[in-house]
């Protein structure tokens, strides 16, 4: 079981798995603007393995066919669902209780990254994101 939650503790979640295999750093402008960060690191999990254990997040649709899940009290963005991959949910790695255990394995939407953000690691880079068929 992997657990996490928002900054203030009002919303908590659990993922019924022992590993997070697909962890990607997203550089798209939507993620930047909804978090205020230069990028966001997401872990993709089967939606059936995810559940809210405390509180109820607010949902916000930044673009049609997506929902971002925020704490209504502290504003922390914890999850993202998109119609492009309807059977999965992306959870913000930095909201995990043990975020250090889940390093990224790729960068996505690097074609949208800020010009002054340097990618000096050996991770794979995708101009956009490759979604499953």
């Amino acid at each position: 079981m992997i657990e996490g939650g928002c900054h203030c503790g009002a919303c908590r979640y659990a993922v019924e798995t022992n590993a997070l295999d697909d962890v990607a750093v997203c550089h798209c402008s939507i993620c930047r603007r909804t978090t205020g960060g230069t990028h966001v690191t997401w872990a993709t999990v089967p939606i059936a393995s995810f559940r809210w254990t405390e509180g109820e997040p607010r949902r916000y649709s930044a673009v049609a066919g997506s929902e971002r899940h925020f704490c209504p009290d502290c504003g922390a963005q914890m999850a993202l669902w998109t119609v492009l991959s309807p059977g999965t949910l992306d959870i913000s790695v930095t909201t995990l209780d043990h975020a250090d255990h889940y390093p990224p394995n790729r960068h996505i939407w690097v074609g949208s990254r800020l010009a002054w953000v340097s990618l000096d690691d050996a991770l794979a880079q995708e101009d956009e994101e490759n979604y499953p068929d």
Side-chain angles (χ1 to χ4, degrees):
M1 184 82 66
I2 298 171
E3 297 179 306
C6 67
H7 180 261
C8 72
C11 293
R12 298 279 304 158
Y13 62 83
V15 182
E16 296 173 8
T17 185
N18 291 323
L20 300 176
D21 298 323
D22 184 18
V23 181
V25 179
C26 183
H27 297 271
C28 81
S29 62
I30 299 167
C31 283
R32 290 196 318 263
R33 292 192 61 114
T34 59
T35 65
T38 59
H39 53 272
V40 178
T41 304
W42 297 108
T44 302
V45 299
I47 203 163
S49 72
F50 180 91
R51 64 185 166 88
W52 294 104
T53 58
E54 285 185 45
E56 184 64 33
R58 276 202 184 132
R59 288 168 171 75
Y60 170 71
S61 182
V63 295
S66 72
E67 286 185 344
R68 291 171 183 268
H69 303 231
F70 293 84
C71 173
D73 294 333
C74 70
Q77 184 177 179
M78 297 165 286
L80 165 66
W81 174 86
T82 176
V83 70
L84 297 173
S85 187
T88 65
L89 187 72
D90 292 334
I91 54 174
S92 174
V93 169
T94 56
T95 65
L96 293 169
D97 291 347
H98 302 286
D100 280 342
H101 296 173
Y102 308 100
N105 52 26
R106 64 190 175 120
H107 291 274
I108 58 175
W109 295 99
V110 296
S112 299
R113 82 175 188 271
L114 295 169
W116 47 265
V117 170
S118 175
L119 302 181
D120 57 0
D121 55 35
L123 299 179
Q125 296 182 20
E126 300 172 21
D127 280 343
E128 294 183 0
E129 182 174 9
N130 296 319
Y131 294 97
D133 293 334

